């Protein structure tokens, strides 16, 4: 899971994608990522569906919108879904994805933390790891199938 600034960097530098290794090798770039993060460069591991998504992202030359534009899209979706948009921000998508990943791959906590660019302590403190419906967990397992396994 990438932060928006990291995704923009990747869009400009698709050569950091390592399809054969099912990862994106994100280097340390000053001003990118979280300032207080202790992990400055990392390998973002991909699932089978993640590889497909990255292949499409690169082939279609998709551009990442500005943070402010993403925030408006999130708020509009909340209103369209008939719930309050208070507190809905783009970084929720990264948090949701990592929360799903932790739930789907409980034995991979350390690898998930390293791939996300933080510690396991951060995961426990900031991510939802329980309380999911059984059918939702089944969908999560499908989304993360093959995660971190090279082709």
């Amino acid at each position: 899971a990438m932060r928006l600034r990291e995704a923009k960097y990747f869009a400009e530098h698709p050569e950091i994608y390592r399809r054969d290794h099912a990862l994106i090798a994100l280097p340390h770039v000053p001003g990118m990522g979280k300032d207080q993060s202790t992990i400055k460069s990392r390998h973002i591991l991909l699932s089978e569906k993640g590889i497909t998504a990255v292949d499409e992202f690169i082939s279609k030359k998709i551009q990442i919108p500005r943070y402010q534009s993403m925030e408006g899209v999130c708020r509009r979706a909340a209103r369209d879904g008939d719930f309050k948009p208070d507190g809905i921000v783009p970084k929720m998508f990264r948090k949701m994805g990592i929360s799903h990943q932790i739930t789907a791959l409980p034995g991979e906590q350390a690898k998930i933390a390293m791939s996300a660019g933080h510690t396991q302590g951060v995961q426990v403190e900031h991510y939802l790891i329980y309380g999911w419906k059984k059918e939702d967990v089944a969908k999560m397992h499908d989304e993360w199938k093959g995660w971190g396994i090279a082709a």
Side-chain angles (χ1 to χ4, degrees):
M2 286 190 246
R3 295 171 182 94
L4 194 56
R5 284 178 284 192
E6 295 166 342
K8 285 182 179 225
Y9 179 86
F10 174 59
E12 295 167 4
H13 299 277
E15 69 276 3
I16 65 174
Y17 176 41
R18 307 284 187 266
R19 190 181 202 290
D20 291 348
H21 297 284
L23 63 84
I24 296 169
L26 192 66
H28 170 61
V29 176
M32 183 179 71
K34 267 192 141 170
D35 294 333
Q36 65 268 35
S37 176
T38 57
I39 300 167
K40 300 298 183 191
S41 64
R42 67 183 194 277
H43 288 159
I44 299 166
L45 305 177
L46 302 170
S47 66
E48 292 171 9
K49 288 187 177 184
I51 292 168
T52 301
V54 170
D55 287 343
E56 278 191 46
F57 178 84
I58 292 170
S59 71
K60 293 182 179 181
K61 297 181 177 15
I62 295 172
Q63 296 300 306
I64 305 293
R66 292 182 23 235
Y67 187 91
Q68 292 81 359
S69 300
M70 293 285 287
E71 194 165 346
V73 169
C74 294
R75 292 180 167 280
R76 226 176 359 268
R79 283 192 296 275
D80 290 350
D82 201 28
F83 59 93
K84 291 182 183 180
D86 300 344
I88 294 179
V89 293
K91 74 178 184 177
M92 290 176 67
F93 292 103
R94 174 177 147 87
K95 287 191 177 290
M96 178 195 63
I98 294 170
S99 295
H100 285 194
Q101 191 176 18
I102 292 167
T103 301
L105 306 166
E108 301 286 1
Q109 299 285 333
K111 247 171 46 176
I112 293 167
M114 293 301 292
S115 181
H118 52 61
T119 65
Q120 287 182 269
V122 168
Q123 280 181 179
V124 171
E125 193 173 329
H126 296 282
Y127 293 88
L128 180 61
I129 55 175
Y130 54 84
W132 302 101
K133 293 180 183 176
K134 191 185 294 185
E135 56 269 18
D136 292 334
V137 173
K139 290 176 187 174
M140 292 175 204
H141 282 281
D142 183 54
E143 289 299 316
W144 293 103
K145 182 181 172 192
W147 178 79
I149 301 171

